[in-house]
């Protein structure tokens, strides 16, 4: 026999359906401005819920950010203006991976044409050494203008170089999200020097005690850093790594990216290098990727051995290397590049040096679709390698080197990479007390 209808439940269900239909109708007829405000309200609440644990570390005042962007959202009138506002909002999140991603309805919305696609580099990269801003490398337009590595950038126009760089970082940070201050500085000294072809950059430079003024005209030059200021000569070059020996006879591997087959690439590098008294692993310029971390570090554990200082690693690969290792980093090392370099330091296998910590943008991410169905927000929610940095992870900090080493003007002027030179010095007298791994204890002997 069928059960009698529960009249109150039927009425309640009917009311719920009516309310849902009313909500859908309101959404369909809502003025665009209301949709934009609703998106921002939703974004602010969801970001705080999912990313708020990063706010103290990154010194983010979310109440202040919320007040500013809710106020600005009320003035938005077009989808393009909405996109710009959301990008600027994520820049305040200080998350190097953060981005606004179009959903199906938003695919036709384009970023305003600000000339970015036509920008080029000046043919030089900069670095900070103490209080000075130095030319780290030069080629193309800069070299043609007589600008050489090791020169100090004293001023840009009438503005002191350090002040000009601070202003550039502030300008870039309006629409770009940087996980750390040192990542923002590295970006400004490389990609951030880009401008439109024909731009004239008036510089005051110093070489030794002599000052000179000159004008550089932008033409065509890459803005993407490859890593070191100068590489050892005679390296074998593959797509993602370069390898060989330094003039002093130490092994050298520059890991430019972290593809899935990185352990196998390292196998080829180690076979090519052969027996050496020390190894330099240079991760500068590494843009990330994805790979088997245990398999990579296993290539640096002697055959048949296991190390277990912070995490257990077994020997892997046909020709693993068991000697002393120095790892080089800076703030151009991002994402998976940070974990690749970081395991050598944090898990006790190598000694790390660097101009600064790594970028500090290494985390697991999530996607937050917005109510308007125009865009979704891609944001970091949990820091990778939580055991790093005393349990604080990498995001917003980076992997901090054992020793900070800045470029020296005199080295750059001679075509010498200061950090590679320092790595060779360290390998000549390895600081075993600072690195848990002792090659002799694991049966490795220099030949």
């Amino acid at each position: 026999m069928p059960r009698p209808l529960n009249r109150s439940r039927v009425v309640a269900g009917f009311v719920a359906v009516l309310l849902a239909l009313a909500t859908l109708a309101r959404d369909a007829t809502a003025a665009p401005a209301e949709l934009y405000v609703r998106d921002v309200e939703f974004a602010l609440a969801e970001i705080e819920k999912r990313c708020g644990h990063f706010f103290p570390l990154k010194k983010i005042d979310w109440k202040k950010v919320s007040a500013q962007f809710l106020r600005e959202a009320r003035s938005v009138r077009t989808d393009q203006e909405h996109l710009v506002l959301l990008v600027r909002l994520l820049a305040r999140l200080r998350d190097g991976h953060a981005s606004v991603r179009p959903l199906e309805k938003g695919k036709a919305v384009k970023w305003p044409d600000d000339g970015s696609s036509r920008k080029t580099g000046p043919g030089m990269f900069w670095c900070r050494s103490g209080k000075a801003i130095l030319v780290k490398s030069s080629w193309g337009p800069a070299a043609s203008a007589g600008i050489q590595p090791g020169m100090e950038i004293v001023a840009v126009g009438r503005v002191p170089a350090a002040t000009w760089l601070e202003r550039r970082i502030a300008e870039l940070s309006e629409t770009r999200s940087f996980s750390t201050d040192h990542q923002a500085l590295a970006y400004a000294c490389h990609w951030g020097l880009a401008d439109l072809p024909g731009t004239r950059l008036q510089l005051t430079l110093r070489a030794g005690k002599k000052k000179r003024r000159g004008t550089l005209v932008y033409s065509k030059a890459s803005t993407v850093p490859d890593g070191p200021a100068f590489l050892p000569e005679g390296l074998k070059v593959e797509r993602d790594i370069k390898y060989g020996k330094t003039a002093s006879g130490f092994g050298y591997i520059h890991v430019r990216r972290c593809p899935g087959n990185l352990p196998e690439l390292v196998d080829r590098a180690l076979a090519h290098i052969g027996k050496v008294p020390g190894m330099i692993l240079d991760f500068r310029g590494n843009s990330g990727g994805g790979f088997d971390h245990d398999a990579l570090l296993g290539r640096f554990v002697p055959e048949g051995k296991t190390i277990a200082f912070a995490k257990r690693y077994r020997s892997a690969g046909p020709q693993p290397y068991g000697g002393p290792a120095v790892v080089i980093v800076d703030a151009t090392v991002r994402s998976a590049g940070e974990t690749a370099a970081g395991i050598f330091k944090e898990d006790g296998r190598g000694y790390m040096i660097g101009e600064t910590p790594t970028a500090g943008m290494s985390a697991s991410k999530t996607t937050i679709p917005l109510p308007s169905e125009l865009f979704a927000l891609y944001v970091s929610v949990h820091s990778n390698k939580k055991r790093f940095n005393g349990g604080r992870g990498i995001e917003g900090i980076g992997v901090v080197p054992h020793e900070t080493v800045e470029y020296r003007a005199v080295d750059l002027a001679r075509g010498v990479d200061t950090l590679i030179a320092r790595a060779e010095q360290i390998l000549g007298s390895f600081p075993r007390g600072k690195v848990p791994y002792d090659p002799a204890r694991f049966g490795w002997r220099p030949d």
Side-chain angles (χ1 to χ4, degrees), residues 41-316:
E41 289 174 337
F42 181 84
L44 290 167
E46 286 297 305
I47 288 172
E48 184 170 23
K49 184 192 306 181
R50 303 192 194 199
C51 316
H53 52 283
F54 287 133
F55 293 172
L57 171 67
K58 298 182 177 183
K59 297 181 174 60
I60 299 171
D61 184 343
W62 201 240
K63 286 185 178 179
K64 183 178 178 181
V65 171
S66 298
Q68 174 189 346
F69 282 87
L70 280 173
R71 182 174 65 253
E72 293 188 28
R74 298 186 186 102
S75 301
V76 171
R77 292 294 177 266
T78 68
D79 291 350
Q80 187 181 71
E81 289 178 359
H82 189 40
L83 171 61
V84 172
L85 186 74
L86 292 172
V87 169
R88 290 178 52 240
L89 170 60
L90 289 195
R92 273 66 179 172
L93 196 53
R94 302 198 67 187
D95 171 5
H97 279 113
S99 64
V100 178
R101 300 187 169 185
L103 299 175
E104 191 61 36
K105 284 174 59 176
K107 285 184 177 178
V109 183
K110 303 299 181 184
W111 186 259
D113 185 6
D114 57 1
S116 295
S117 63
R118 301 189 299 278
K119 287 184 177 179
T120 186
M124 63 178 170
F125 295 139
W126 296 357
C127 62
R128 186 165 62 190
S129 181
K131 295 182 179 180
I133 306 301
L134 303 179
V135 178
K136 184 172 77 171
S137 54
S138 71
W139 69 99
S144 296
I147 299 171
Q148 298 298 322
M151 286 183 171
E152 179 184 352
I153 307 288
V154 178
V156 182
R158 296 180 179 275
V159 181
T163 303
W164 186 91
L165 208 47
E166 287 172 9
R167 292 176 183 175
R168 190 69 148 190
I169 291 169
E171 177 189 343
L172 292 165
S173 297
E174 181 64 22
T175 54
R176 291 186 178 275
S177 203
F178 299 111
S179 290
T180 58
D181 290 341
H182 50 270
Q183 185 198 4
L185 173 64
Y187 189 96
C189 287
H190 296 86
W191 300 271
L193 296 178
D195 217 319
L196 293 171
T199 296
R200 300 173 72 83
L201 200 64
Q202 295 181 332
L203 299 173
T204 303
L205 302 126
R206 178 163 39 217
K209 295 182 179 180
K210 294 182 180 179
K211 278 188 184 181
R212 54 166 289 221
R213 288 187 176 89
T215 300
L216 180 153
V217 181
Y218 282 64
S219 56
K220 187 177 181 181
S222 173
T223 61
V224 181
D226 190 46
F230 304 100
L231 286 162
E233 294 183 2
L235 298 182
K236 186 173 177 61
V237 178
E238 296 200 30
R239 176 181 171 82
D240 298 306
I241 65 172
K242 303 179 183 76
Y243 49 87
K245 295 180 183 179
T246 69
S248 300
F250 294 109
Y252 178 87
I253 304 175
H254 178 224
V255 185
R256 179 66 178 80
R257 296 177 189 83
C258 294
N261 66 336
L262 179 59
E264 289 72 30
L265 292 177
V266 170
D267 285 338
R268 294 209 291 270
L270 294 175
H272 177 81
I273 292 169
K275 294 181 179 179
V276 286
M279 186 71 65
I280 299 170
L281 299 170
D282 195 339
F283 285 88
R284 287 175 293 176
N286 191 290
S287 57
F291 66 100
D292 185 329
H293 290 72
D294 289 15
L296 174 65
L297 199 134
R299 268 62 182 181
F300 297 88
V301 178
E303 187 174 359
K305 304 290 184 180
T306 298
I307 65 170
F309 302 113
K311 185 179 183 298
R312 182 175 294 275
Y313 294 94
R314 290 194 177 117
S315 180

Side-chain angles (χ1 to χ4, degrees), residues 270-396:
L270 294 175
H272 177 81
I273 292 169
K275 294 181 179 179
V276 286
M279 186 71 65
I280 299 170
L281 299 170
D282 195 339
F283 285 88
R284 287 175 293 176
N286 191 290
S287 57
F291 66 100
D292 185 329
H293 290 72
D294 289 15
L296 174 65
L297 199 134
R299 268 62 182 181
F300 297 88
V301 178
E303 187 174 359
K305 304 290 184 180
T306 298
I307 65 170
F309 302 113
K311 185 179 183 298
R312 182 175 294 275
Y313 294 94
R314 290 194 177 117
S315 180
Q319 194 171 324
Y321 178 76
V326 174
V327 175
I328 306 178
V329 297
D330 63 13
T332 65
V333 182
R334 297 173 285 162
S335 196
E338 301 183 67
T339 56
I343 55 178
F344 285 88
K345 182 219 172 187
E346 293 284 345
D347 295 335
R349 177 59 183 89
Y351 187 80
M352 179 179 284
I353 65 174
E355 283 184 272
T356 66
T358 59
M361 52 169 286
S362 181
S364 57
K365 280 78 69 179
T366 194
T367 301
I368 305 173
L370 298 178
S372 69
E373 299 182 354
L374 287 167
F375 307 109
L377 308 181
Y378 185 69
V379 296
S380 296
V381 290
H382 297 294
S383 183
N384 282 341
K385 300 298 180 186
K386 196 66 179 177
R387 69 183 185 278
F388 286 21
N389 293 313
R392 294 182 297 162
I394 294 176
E395 179 66 34

